[in-house]
């Protein structure tokens, strides 16, 4: 995709909130931003969060793009860089954030083919989920069991994306505290 086409798409997003133009911008930048995020964080989940946050900012702030000052890719990567700095600052404030891989060692449902040690881990995960308030448990199940994005979860539950993110953070903190008490 040419720089002129990207600039045109960004102008359409800014002026008319054109979803088709945003789809083209998203399709072009998402894989590139994911690779950039993976280099920054070394973690696919954080890289995907960077993609989501960056492109949401592009959607919301497309009117601030000035083609006289920079190419579209330069502007988008500046947004991504700023988002990555914000994410790193948040991580530094909470250095021991519990990641999904710590909670969900099983990717599949229980069956006769699953080794007994993995079935025990699944039972433990279900017991931990039972400790959470319903709203937090529901969000954790949708994201980590049903493999939905935070945005999909927000839409499905009819709550703002920030609420979903807060519930995930609170749930993971509560589970982490419980796991530390058991140690």
């Amino acid at each position: 995709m040419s720089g002129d086409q990207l600039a045109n798409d960004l102008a359409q997003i800014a002026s008319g909130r054109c979803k088709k133009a945003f789809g083209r911008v998203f399709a072009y930048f998402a894989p590139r931003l994911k690779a950039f995020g993976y280099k920054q964080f070394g973690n696919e989940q954080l890289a995907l969060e960077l993609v989501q946050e960056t492109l949401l900012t592009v959607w919301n702030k497309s009117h601030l793009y000035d083609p006289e000052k920079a190419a579209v890719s330069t502007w988008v990567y500046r947004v991504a860089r700023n988002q990555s700095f914000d994410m790193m600052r948040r991580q530094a404030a909470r250095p021991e954030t519990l990641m999904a891989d710590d909670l969900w060692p099983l990717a599949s449902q229980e069956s006769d083919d699953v080794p007994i040690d993995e079935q025990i881990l699944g039972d433990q995960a279900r017991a931990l989920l039972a400790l959470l308030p319903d709203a937090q448990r529901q969000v954790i199940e949708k994201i980590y069991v049903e493999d939905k994005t935070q945005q999909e979860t927000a839409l499905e539950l009819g709550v703002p994306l920030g609420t979903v993110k807060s519930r995930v953070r609170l749930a993971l903190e509560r589970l982490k505290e419980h796991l530390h008490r058991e140690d």
Side-chain angles (χ1 to χ4, degrees):
M1 179 175 286
S2 73
D4 291 338
Q5 178 62 44
L6 287 169
N8 185 40
D9 286 342
L10 213 51
Q12 288 178 8
I13 295 166
S15 66
R17 304 312 249 179
C18 179
K19 291 179 182 178
K20 287 184 181 182
F22 182 72
R24 289 188 297 269
V25 169
F26 189 96
Y28 181 80
F29 281 109
R32 291 163 175 80
L33 291 171
K34 182 180 175 188
F36 173 77
Y38 194 80
K39 285 180 187 176
Q40 293 289 314
F41 301 110
N43 178 304
E44 186 174 6
Q45 183 178 1
L46 290 173
L48 290 172
E49 186 175 339
L50 178 65
V51 171
Q52 181 177 355
E53 294 297 325
T54 299
L55 291 171
L56 180 62
T57 301
V58 167
W59 172 261
N60 288 325
K61 300 195 179 215
S62 58
H63 64 281
L64 297 176
Y65 170 68
D66 183 357
E68 299 295 320
K69 292 183 179 179
V72 174
S73 59
T74 303
W75 184 75
V76 170
Y77 277 100
R78 185 178 309 135
V79 170
R81 186 193 69 200
N82 291 341
Q83 288 293 335
S84 72
F85 289 154
D86 290 346
M87 289 172 66
M88 285 187 250
R89 278 192 285 272
R90 284 193 301 265
Q91 276 187 315
R94 294 180 299 205
E96 290 189 36
T97 300
L98 193 61
M99 300 303 286
D101 295 340
D102 299 332
L103 292 175
W104 299 104
L106 300 176
S108 63
Q109 298 289 333
E110 284 187 61
S111 72
D112 294 335
D113 298 337
V114 178
I116 189 71
D117 59 333
E118 288 185 11
Q119 288 180 18
I120 291 169
L121 286 173
D123 292 340
Q124 291 170 335
R126 279 188 289 285
L128 284 172
L129 276 180
L131 299 172
L132 297 174
D134 287 340
Q136 292 175 8
R137 181 186 42 73
Q138 192 176 28
V139 167
I140 293 295
E141 286 176 346
K142 291 206 175 296
I143 293 172
Y144 297 115
V145 176
E146 298 175 22
D147 199 29
K148 295 189 176 186
T149 65
Q150 291 180 344
Q151 182 66 41
E152 290 170 333
T153 301
L155 291 172
E156 191 170 309
L157 296 176
V159 297
L161 178 61
T163 300
V164 169
K165 290 182 178 203
S166 294
R167 288 178 183 173
V168 167
R169 181 181 51 78
L170 292 170
L172 294 177
E173 286 174 2
R174 180 174 284 193
L175 292 172
K176 178 182 164 188
E177 288 172 13
H178 181 76
L179 290 172
H180 282 306
R181 272 187 258 133
E182 284 186 352
D183 290 341

